[in-house]
Amino acid sequence: VLVDLPEPRGGRLTEFLDADSTWALVFVDDGAALYVRREGLMAPVAGRFGYRWLTGGPAGLELLHQRCRMGPDACAQVIAELERAAASSKENSTASSLMANAALLEGRYTDARRYLIAALEADPATSRAHERLALIALEERKPREALRELALERELRRDAWQLELIAARAHRDLGDLGRARDAYERVLRREPGNREAQDSLGALRGRGDP
């Protein structure tokens, strides 16, 4: 069974096949997922190429995240399958993006950046890629780079007001407390109960920022 990805709105064929133990996912990229039967003529293909953890449908993504949180050995098994998927096709933004998430969980920022750059090369509109690159830049004490990545993310997500929290941290790290304050205030105008923005704004005012 060859399923075009992403499926149409409401389509659940990949989820059905992922849940059916008689089928094995043997190939998946941004554009398609290929399943074969585990028994019969395709049994050797299923046995050799069937993925154990990777799924064709989006419902399996949370299971991948959960497995990576179980520890380095479990996460390494997931990453190995994602690396195989990424190597199998140039349309590999999804696999590269998921590898970046796994690397971020383990604090491997250099690897995460490499995976995100690969994802953007495959698909310049990869979801939240520039946002994650901005977070990596902040962790590496590169606030100007973080702001550049946020600008690129805003070009893809016009109403991404949540990015203001990251921008505020970058401005604060640069010593521009006025812009940091303005960013936190923009967050609170959209989400008055945001605790991070409240606490950070209070801390800035405690430092004498007007």
Side-chain angles (χ1 to χ4, degrees), residues 175-178 181 199-210:
D176 192 339
L177 303 186
R181 178 205 60 205
D199 292 347
S200 298
L201 188 59
L204 286 177
R205 287 172 174 164
R207 293 168 59 177
D209 189 54

Side-chain angles (χ1 to χ4, degrees), residues 86-152:
S88 298
S89 171
K90 292 182 179 180
E91 296 183 28
N92 59 13
S93 67
T94 300
S96 297
S97 179
L98 291 172
M99 286 191 290
N101 288 344
L104 286 170
L105 279 175
E106 297 180 335
R108 294 184 290 109
Y109 300 123
T110 299
D111 288 339
R113 177 187 285 108
R114 174 167 56 85
Y115 293 139
L116 287 169
I117 291 173
L120 287 166
E121 288 175 350
D123 180 4
T126 298
S127 178
R128 306 176 80 108
H130 290 292
E131 177 183 356
R132 284 173 283 171
L133 286 170
L135 289 169
I136 292 169
L138 283 180
E139 292 294 336
E140 296 179 339
R141 301 183 183 277
K142 299 175 182 177
R144 295 188 189 280
E145 182 179 320
L147 291 172
R148 288 194 293 270
E149 292 295 344
L150 290 176
L152 293 170

Side-chain angles (χ1 to χ4, degrees), residues 42-210:
M42 300 304 291
V45 176
R48 181 178 178 185
F49 297 106
Y51 285 105
R52 183 177 182 186
W53 307 110
L54 203 56
T55 62
L61 296 182
E62 182 57 32
L63 294 177
L64 293 181
H65 294 158
Q66 290 176 7
R67 183 153 189 82
C68 267
R69 295 188 187 101
M70 292 172 61
D73 291 341
C75 197
Q77 294 174 354
V78 172
I79 292 174
E81 292 201 344
L82 290 170
E83 287 178 338
R84 176 188 143 197
S88 298
S89 171
K90 292 182 179 180
E91 296 183 28
N92 59 13
S93 67
T94 300
S96 297
S97 179
L98 291 172
M99 286 191 290
N101 288 344
L104 286 170
L105 279 175
E106 297 180 335
R108 294 184 290 109
Y109 300 123
T110 299
D111 288 339
R113 177 187 285 108
R114 174 167 56 85
Y115 293 139
L116 287 169
I117 291 173
L120 287 166
E121 288 175 350
D123 180 4
T126 298
S127 178
R128 306 176 80 108
H130 290 292
E131 177 183 356
R132 284 173 283 171
L133 286 170
L135 289 169
I136 292 169
L138 283 180
E139 292 294 336
E140 296 179 339
R141 301 183 183 277
K142 299 175 182 177
R144 295 188 189 280
E145 182 179 320
L147 291 172
R148 288 194 293 270
E149 292 295 344
L150 290 176
L152 293 170
E153 187 70 24
R154 288 191 183 96
E155 292 179 6
L156 301 173
R157 298 162 58 197
R158 295 295 183 182
D159 194 36
W161 60 269
Q162 298 93 336
L163 298 177
E164 294 294 346
L165 283 172
I166 306 174
R169 288 176 55 193
H171 288 306
R172 183 190 63 198
D173 290 352
L174 286 169
D176 192 339
L177 303 186
R179 287 188 177 181
R181 178 205 60 205
D182 291 344
Y184 285 128
E185 288 179 344
R186 285 193 291 271
V187 172
L188 290 172
R189 283 196 292 269
R190 295 295 298 266
E191 189 180 340
N194 188 288
R195 191 61 178 269
E196 179 181 349
Q198 290 175 344
D199 292 347
S200 298
L201 188 59
L204 286 177
R205 287 172 174 164
R207 293 168 59 177
D209 189 54

